[in-house]
Amino acid sequence: MRAEYDYISTIVQEGSFTRAAEKLFMTQPALSIAVRKIEKKAGMPLFERNSRPLRLTQAGEAYFRTIRKMQALENDLNREIQELKDLRTGILTIGGSHYILSYKIPHLLTAFVEKYPGIQLHLIEESSDTLLALLEKEELDLTFSCDPAVIQRHSHHYRAFRDQILLAVPRTVPLDGSVRSSALTGRDVREGRAFRPDCPAIPLAQFRDLDFILLTPGNNLHQRCQVLFQHAGFTPRIRLMLSQLATAYHLAEHGFAAAFVSDAMVSEDTDSLLFFRLSDADCIRMFHALLPDRDFTPYAVRAFIRLLGN
């Protein structure tokens, strides 16, 4: 149908079959045959072939007006699609835990809205389990997980970022001298020393006599800590369980108990805590961005994933 529109429009613009055929990169007889097929479907001629320059018949004028309307609609559609591709409009809904939204991706969110100011950014802050349920219902465009089993269940996932779980111990807690000598300061953590091969790694079993703050079920770190304690061979003394990692960090700062924290949230000027790199491999978390299992990925989502890869 598009070709038929192009044939008629080009003939009207050029005023002859010969010039129109040249512009369309086809022979004049081929164009004439194509137009006669169109006229046969219309039931009457569209051009007055004896006039010079070529003129439309009354039926041809009606046909051409319709073509112009169809072309205008197509142009509007193409423009709207292009605007979506150029990310001038649209909505991006991202789900994440308080930790991820506050400590891991604020710089990405800022970069995204600066680059694509026409996109409405919606953020949903919930636990890992809740976010995965929302993703399954396609109420999110994107969320994050560091659980290998969860990641493998989703056909659309993209490597995003990593972090390291450290044990934060109040400085006032008595520790064995050899253990204390392996402690990291806030500055050490911010400078990335915890990731360096020469950084000492301490078995969690060395801290079996401490009181702990743990996260509640539904958070990835709750599940991960169960594995850490199982590997270490002891049942922890849990002084408090809560839902927010940041709250655990601040309570540890005030001497409440030891807490598992991410390197991303450690402040350089923290002087009330000692940080320990643990020897268990489960303390390194690799997060992936997860998308709903659908065929089409919105352009805004693709743009955000590109930022993750930079």
Side-chain angles (χ1 to χ4, degrees), residues 170 213 240 242 246-257 273:
I213 304 168
L240 182 67
L242 40 78
T247 307
Y249 178 86
H250 292 307
L251 284 172
E253 272 190 310
H254 286 82
F256 190 85
L273 289 172

Side-chain angles (χ1 to χ4, degrees), residues 127-145:
S127 68
S128 303
D129 288 352
T130 301
L131 292 169
L132 290 174
L134 292 174
L135 190 73
E136 292 294 332
K137 293 188 288 186
E138 297 191 13
E139 294 180 18
L140 296 177
D141 290 312
L142 180 151
T143 190
F144 300 92
S145 178

Side-chain angles (χ1 to χ4, degrees), residues 82-134:
Q82 190 60 47
E83 285 179 354
L84 290 173
K85 289 182 178 179
D86 292 343
L87 299 173
R88 298 192 189 105
T89 60
I91 298 173
L92 176 62
T93 303
I94 296 177
S97 64
H98 172 78
Y99 161 65
I100 288 176
L101 297 181
S102 298
Y103 294 98
K104 294 303 294 185
I105 64 170
H107 65 294
L108 295 174
L109 298 174
T110 300
F112 184 84
V113 297
E114 288 178 349
K115 189 170 184 179
Y116 308 108
I119 299 296
Q120 297 180 45
L121 189 62
H122 292 177
L123 301 180
I124 296 179
E125 184 178 298
E126 289 287 355
S127 68
S128 303
D129 288 352
T130 301
L131 292 169
L132 290 174
L134 292 174

Side-chain angles (χ1 to χ4, degrees), residues 164-167 182 184 194 196-197 199-207 227-229 231-234 260 275-284:
Q164 182 160 10
I165 299 303
L166 305 170
L167 183 63
S182 299
L184 302 172
R196 296 174 190 166
C199 179
I202 309 298
L204 180 57
Q206 294 278 11
F207 301 97
V227 174
L228 294 178
F229 287 122
H231 290 174
F234 72 95
F260 295 92
F275 300 95
F276 295 90
R277 175 184 176 182
L278 300 175
S279 56
D280 200 302
D282 283 308
C283 288
I284 302 293

